Amino acid sequence: MPNVEATANLMSPLTLFLSADIVVKIVMLGLLAASVWTWAIIFSHSLRLRRINRQTEAYERDFWTASDIDSFHMKRGDEKIPTAAVLTAGLDEWRRSTRGGVVDRAGTRERLASRMNATVASELDHLGERLNILATVGSVAPFVGLFGTVWGIMRSFTAIAGANNTSLAVVAPGIAEALFATAIGLFAAIPAVIAYNRLSHGLDRLEARLGRFADRFHSTLSHELESEAPPTGGKLR
């Protein structure tokens, strides 16, 4: 039993780290820092995306039941969600394009679509900030861990040559340290890859939702152009 306990102590993560070579220690610390950073990004983006989806659903529901678009925009146009930004962009372009006495219907439709699509892209770029870090950690961390593995195995071979002994007791510590570096690399990479794919899918769904909202709002403004083409560019109902 004491031998089993001693072996378990030798194989504990803390012991493996403390007994590792300085290069392997640097690799482990770097991977642990990348893992902490990854989890911080995962939690912050997941919570923000969930909150935005919930707020967007409520915002769209209230918007499409509103009787006056201008009044709705005055009350809720400043909300910090992508749908509000798309609405503001569409109304700004509408007012600019219908301000004069003669309204270019085709040009107004084209500018409305371009402005709202650009706003959708800009909002998604903002929401997707730092997701590239997850992709980078997911692709690079295993190779960094592998570097630590190779270095640890080289150290084991050096120990064998120095001790002139090929017993497992001489080889095992260095190999264990090396494999521990690989394990930390995978620990950092696997959640990063899963989270990147999941969050990217969430952003794709939000992009589709914003695109549908922009298309529907564009259709509403197009009908308004056909019905009255207001010379003062003002009131939408």
Side-chain angles (χ1 to χ4, degrees), residues 126-193:
H126 177 68
L127 291 174
E129 287 179 353
R130 297 191 298 174
L131 284 188
N132 61 323
I133 296 174
L134 297 181
T136 302
V137 172
S139 60
V140 173
F143 295 100
V144 176
L146 182 60
F147 171 76
T149 299
V150 172
W151 189 273
I153 292 175
M154 290 171 56
R155 183 168 174 251
S156 297
F157 287 148
T158 303
I160 292 174
N164 197 21
N165 188 348
T166 59
S167 67
L168 186 60
V170 175
V171 179
I175 293 179
E177 298 161 12
L179 295 178
F180 186 51
T182 300
I184 296 178
L186 294 175
F187 179 77
I190 292 174
V193 172

Side-chain angles (χ1 to χ4, degrees), residues 71-108:
S71 297
F72 181 88
H73 181 256
M74 289 179 62
K75 294 177 182 177
R76 303 184 58 181
D78 293 332
E79 293 188 17
K80 302 300 182 182
I81 57 175
T83 313
V86 174
L87 174 64
T88 299
L91 285 178
D92 286 348
E93 188 58 46
W94 164 269
R95 288 163 181 156
R96 291 173 58 186
S97 297
T98 58
R99 188 175 298 156
V102 179
V103 177
D104 180 5
R105 290 183 173 89
T108 298

Side-chain angles (χ1 to χ4, degrees), residues 48-60:
R48 182 168 65 168
L49 191 59
R50 188 177 306 169
R51 173 178 54 81
I52 287 176
N53 280 323
R54 185 172 61 250
Q55 293 175 340
T56 297
E57 182 178 357
Y59 190 91
E60 290 184 9

Side-chain angles (χ1 to χ4, degrees), residues 26-71:
I26 293 174
V27 169
M28 291 180 180
L29 290 174
L31 291 172
L32 287 174
S35 179
V36 171
W37 196 8
T38 294
W39 281 106
I41 294 173
I42 291 172
F43 281 120
S44 63
H45 276 65
S46 297
L47 292 175
R48 182 168 65 168
L49 191 59
R50 188 177 306 169
R51 173 178 54 81
I52 287 176
N53 280 323
R54 185 172 61 250
Q55 293 175 340
T56 297
E57 182 178 357
Y59 190 91
E60 290 184 9
R61 182 178 62 248
D62 295 341
F63 174 77
W64 293 120
T65 57
S67 58
D68 191 307
I69 295 177
D70 281 333
S71 297

